[in-house]
Amino acid sequence: MGWFLVRGWAFLVYLFMFLPVAVVVLLSFNASQFGSFPMTGVSLRWFAELFSNEAILRAFRTSFILGLCTAMISTVLGVLASMALVRYKVPGRAVISMLLIAPILIPEVVLAVALLLFLNFLSLNKSFGMLLMGHVVFTLPFVVLVVQARLVAIKREYEEAALSLGANPVQTFFQITLPLMAPAIFAGMLFAFTISFDDITGTLFWKPGGVETVPTQIFAMLRNSISPEINALGTVMILLTVGLPLLGAAIARRMAGKINT
Amino acid sequence: MGTVTLENVSKRFGGFTAVHPTSLHIPEGSFLTLLGPSGCGKTTTLRMIAGLLDPSDGEIFIKGKSVNNLPIYKRNLGIVFQNYALFPHKTIFENIAFGLKYRGVSKQETARRVRDVLDLVQLPHVADRYPKALSGGQQQRIALARAIVIEPDVLLLDEPLSALDANLREDMRVELKRIQHQIGITTVFVTHDQSEALAMSDEIVVMSAGRIEQQGQPEAVYNTPATEFVARFLGASNVLPATTQVMAAEDIQVETNHFGRLVLPRKRAPQIEGEGRSQLIVRAEKVHVEPAGQTMDGAISVPGRIEAVDYQGQAVRYFVRVGDTQLQALNMIKEHPFEEGAEVSVNVRGWDCTLLPEAAA
Ligand SMILES: Nc1ncnc2c1ncn2[C@@H]1O[C@H](COP(=O)(O)OP(=O)(O)OP(=O)(O)O)[C@@H](O)[C@H]1O
Ligand SMILES: [Mg+2]
């Protein structure tokens, strides 16, 4: 009886969380003028309209470029930081590790304001570069966590064997360590991309005037009216931010399966 | 091929000394084993030779040249790790060819050498597989192949057989020795298994707590242990208190509590310089247990009683009570082993024993 209640509650909680999402997806196919029930028919009209809306397309492009750049930079930095922390006994490892992870623990608003104040202090203007920098700061911890966990699990002997066979440390890194880390690097990159793509809080603070990412664009649109286009946009976002990591996880699993250390 | 020389090499980890100053010379083409219990510093010593650890003090020479400042990837060594460390994302061919790539060996030559070395380790058909598709014993052979295909100056092996099961281990022991002999490579082998060491080595270095206890050929180390530690570590030994009484030109007479007066050849007591207290080492297989009343030529016979029997198939180990001491005896079984509680005669011959000064204990 007790367990039945617990299960019932859990079910309700999930329902409460996912029902709105389901409603958005459902309504995005609604043929009606208004972005709400009742459904008057199934159509792709709002998707068509979405893809002819210049502002939204621009926002998509911005988000993509921002996400890609963030993923690239975060991954490179994250891999380097992980190598330094795990493989080389840099002094103050614990502290550096803490600082790298900290952006996850600090509320994003605080982080956003802090970075803004810092740049003001340096009297720099808001720019795409600064937005990118912000995204890198708070996606880096995820990359570091994922890559570090993997690196710890890769036995030193593989690298030592490569060195003993005549590969220098750089060759060893590219021939042995990097390929063995690849699944984690790939996963970290996807994490960074989706987190950047999804982000709104930091982006609102950091973006220069006139630049919109998809989330800030939705936000802006919502302030005027609730167009059914937003439902369609939401559906696309859900597809991207849920689908990409799932796809990535599947690919990473296959890669790991082949390597299987 | 090359010699390896250690001059007063030591290693400290913080305040702990893992290897005390050690000097060692490994001649060209010979097979030297570092033997000792867990934690005695074997791996540490090997890793210093490999260049995976920097010595705290002292100097290491390979082929007569100091390598203290030479990084591992320039030392031209072949290393076989305990868990093989085959690159999991590369095929067997790529694994073996890995070292050749950094030596500017042509594609054709690489293919030929990989084929040859796969023949040498008797696995000609696995080139296209990944390591995880091989059994432990096969992976072991590939690890060896990868290490020797680069024609290293020295081959370093850290407990390479310990991950294999008992039967395979004995096969690989013979195999490894055959290959080493065939290519004549200077080899340093680390193990805590005395039978491996005795079977494979040209020279054994017995280590304990970061120090060399004894160095010598297997037979010498086995038959003439220099310390009580070595006597006890290599096979089962009985250690009995004794008193050296008469030193003649050829022989030494000792008095023991259990076997009375025994006569040993002097070469069995190289460290004994005068009369006085000493220790008599009697290997378990040199304690012969016979039916009560029976004696053996040239042996001192004393009565004893079997306290425990450890049956091993072709041999049997007895724990025999003689006076106030329990002795171990390892005997071949002639017909049936004695049973627990049997009254027997215990026989020891003087020339089978080794005499150590008491201080060496
Ligand atoms: N990196 C290290 N830091 C501190 N102590 C170490 C380190 N490496 C080894 N030691 C210590 O040095 C001693 C010798 O270690 P070593 O690995 O050489 O032993 P071993 O003879 O190879 O033993 P085993 O048979 O268990 O492999 C041990 O007491 C070990 O705890
Ligand atoms: Mg060891």
Side-chain angles (χ1 to χ4, degrees):
Chain A
M1 183 63 196
W3 276 112
F4 181 77
L5 268 179
V6 169
R7 268 184 228 168
W9 271 110
F11 178 73
L12 285 179
V13 168
Y14 275 109
L15 201 66
F16 179 72
M17 283 184 355
F18 286 112
L19 205 56
V21 177
V23 168
V24 166
V25 174
L26 194 63
L27 286 180
S28 67
F29 294 99
N30 193 355
S32 140
Q33 275 281 1
F34 309 99
S36 56
F37 286 110
M39 299 271 297
T40 54
V42 175
S43 104
L44 292 177
R45 169 182 166 194
W46 299 114
F47 287 92
E49 233 161 87
L50 187 67
F51 289 112
S52 55
N53 183 331
E54 263 309 308
I56 288 177
L57 287 183
R58 210 164 338 116
F60 255 110
R61 212 170 309 126
T62 308
S63 276
F64 254 109
I65 293 170
L66 182 62
L68 281 181
C69 292
T70 303
M72 289 301 192
I73 297 172
S74 276
T75 306
V76 171
L77 291 181
V79 168
L80 291 178
S82 305
M83 281 296 288
L85 291 172
V86 178
R87 283 297 190 253
Y88 302 92
K89 309 263 182 255
V90 286
R93 269 198 299 180
V95 176
I96 297 173
S97 200
M98 256 290 291
L99 286 177
L100 279 175
I101 308 300
I104 294 187
L105 308 172
I106 299 170
E108 206 179 323
V109 188
V110 177
L111 195 70
V113 172
L115 190 60
L116 205 56
L117 290 177
F118 181 61
L119 289 185
N120 267 343
F121 174 73
L122 296 177
S123 47
L124 289 171
N125 288 325
K126 288 188 189 180
S127 66
F128 184 79
M130 173 182 165
L131 179 59
L132 180 58
M133 191 174 120
H135 277 217
V136 167
V137 167
F138 72 78
T139 52
L140 190 57
F142 293 94
V143 179
V144 170
L145 283 177
V146 174
V147 173
Q148 225 176 28
R150 173 76 191 149
L151 197 53
V152 169
I154 297 175
K155 289 196 214 81
R156 268 301 261 163
E157 273 92 8
Y158 294 123
E159 290 153 9
E160 291 176 349
L163 289 168
S164 79
L165 290 166
N168 67 32
V170 175
Q171 290 162 332
T172 299
F173 175 75
F174 283 106
Q175 282 286 321
I176 308 299
T177 321
L178 197 61
L180 291 180
M181 281 196 293
I185 293 177
F186 185 68
M189 213 185 258
L190 268 172
F191 262 138
F193 179 84
T194 25
I195 291 166
S196 158
F197 200 87
D198 253 356
D199 180 73
I200 183 153
T201 318
T203 311
L204 279 176
F205 279 87
W206 299 327
K207 73 185 179 66
V211 172
E212 303 288 349
T213 65
V214 178
T216 62
Q217 179 68 29
I218 296 177
F219 192 59
M221 283 163 73
L222 278 174
R223 266 186 298 200
N224 303 331
S225 65
I226 302 186
S227 152
E229 248 180 318
I230 286 179
N231 291 331
L233 189 52
T235 303
V236 173
M237 284 290 279
I238 290 167
L239 217 64
L240 274 173
T241 54
V242 175
L244 260 183
L246 284 181
L247 182 76
I251 294 176
R253 231 190 330 269
R254 284 197 58 161
M255 283 161 83
K258 201 178 134 210
I259 293 171
N260 186 27
T261 40
Chain B
M1 305 295 125
T3 59
V4 179
T5 307
L6 274 63
E7 272 180 12
N8 290 314
V9 172
S10 65
K11 182 68 191 178
R12 290 181 297 273
F13 294 109
F16 172 75
T17 307
V19 177
H20 292 277
T22 296
S23 295
L24 200 60
H25 179 74
I26 305 159
E28 167 114 31
S30 81
F31 192 117
L32 180 129
T33 298
L34 300 177
L35 174 68
S38 186
C40 72
K42 310 179 292 286
T43 299
T44 306
T45 307
L46 196 78
R47 288 175 71 84
M48 288 193 286
I49 299 174
L52 290 166
L53 274 179
D54 288 328
S56 307
D57 253 316
E59 199 150 9
I60 298 173
F61 301 87
I62 295 176
K63 286 210 291 191
K65 282 203 281 296
S66 169
V67 293
N68 277 39
N69 296 312
L70 203 64
I72 173 172
Y73 52 94
K74 291 187 180 156
R75 288 194 186 187
N76 197 32
L77 305 170
I79 305 182
V80 178
F81 293 87
Q82 186 169 358
N83 42 21
Y84 322 136
L86 295 178
F87 308 133
H89 59 299
K90 292 183 184 289
T91 63
I92 299 307
F93 181 93
E94 290 165 341
N95 262 281
I96 298 177
F98 189 85
L100 298 174
K101 198 163 56 183
Y102 299 105
R103 286 170 170 73
V105 178
S106 74
K107 269 216 167 96
Q108 277 180 330
E109 174 73 0
T110 298
R112 189 186 64 75
R113 278 166 74 170
V114 172
R115 194 162 5 93
D116 287 354
V117 81
L118 281 174
D119 283 340
L120 184 68
V121 298
Q122 301 180 334
L123 284 173
H125 304 301
V126 300
D128 297 327
R129 295 202 211 159
Y130 282 91
K132 69 171 173 178
L134 298 185
S135 73
Q138 290 173 327
Q139 290 187 27
Q140 171 70 74
R141 285 160 197 254
I142 299 304
L144 181 64
R146 184 179 68 178
I148 58 180
V149 76
I150 58 171
E151 295 174 355
D153 294 325
V154 181
L155 184 61
L156 305 175
L157 308 134
D158 191 354
E159 312 228 9
L161 306 180
S162 62
L164 305 175
D165 64 55
N167 284 333
L168 198 54
R169 189 151 58 213
E170 289 187 7
D171 290 348
M172 271 311 291
R173 192 156 98 183
V174 177
E175 184 76 6
L176 188 62
K177 186 63 194 169
R178 170 184 73 80
I179 293 168
Q180 189 268 338
H181 200 73
Q182 196 167 332
I183 59 177
I185 187 171
T186 312
T187 303
V188 185
F189 181 84
V190 160
T191 184
H192 60 253
D193 181 335
Q194 46 126 346
S195 59
E196 259 173 29
L198 291 170
M200 300 170 75
S201 320
D202 295 321
E203 187 103 345
I204 295 179
V205 172
V206 186
M207 294 182 69
S208 164
R211 287 196 172 82
I212 294 184
E213 288 275 323
Q214 186 174 8
Q215 177 176 4
Q217 293 174 354
E219 245 196 293
V221 174
Y222 189 80
N223 285 329
T224 328
T227 64
E228 187 188 344
F229 173 85
V230 176
R232 288 190 190 278
F233 191 72
L234 276 108
S237 288
N238 300 290
V239 181
L240 301 171
T243 313
T244 311
Q245 289 197 320
V246 182
M247 308 273 298
E250 297 287 312
D251 301 319
I252 297 180
Q253 269 188 32
V254 291
E255 184 70 35
T256 62
N257 296 343
H258 306 87
F259 292 97
R261 180 157 303 177
L262 285 164
V263 180
L264 281 72
R266 276 202 82 142
K267 66 173 176 14
R268 291 303 225 139
Q271 296 175 59
I272 300 292
E273 272 148 19
E275 292 155 20
R277 297 170 65 78
S278 51
Q279 281 182 307
L280 189 77
I281 312 284
V282 196
R283 292 233 167 260
E285 66 272 21
K286 300 297 185 190
V287 177
H288 304 277
V289 178
E290 302 287 347
Q294 211 159 310
T295 57
M296 242 175 102
D297 271 354
I300 306 282
S301 298
V302 296
R305 189 166 42 79
I306 307 276
E307 289 194 324
V309 180
D310 177 24
Y311 178 66
Q312 299 176 350
Q314 79 278 39
V316 62
R317 194 151 55 112
Y318 298 117
F319 295 86
V320 207
R321 166 77 40 189
V322 175
D324 60 352
T325 313
Q326 193 186 53
L327 298 181
Q328 273 191 51
L330 187 66
N331 287 182
M332 297 309 284
I333 297 171
K334 284 168 209 137
E335 282 169 16
H336 299 290
F338 294 104
E339 300 202 346
E340 212 179 296
E343 298 293 336
V344 292
S345 115
V346 181
N347 301 269
V348 169
R349 288 190 279 227
W351 63 76
D352 286 335
C353 304
T354 307
L355 202 62
L356 292 179
E358 192 167 54

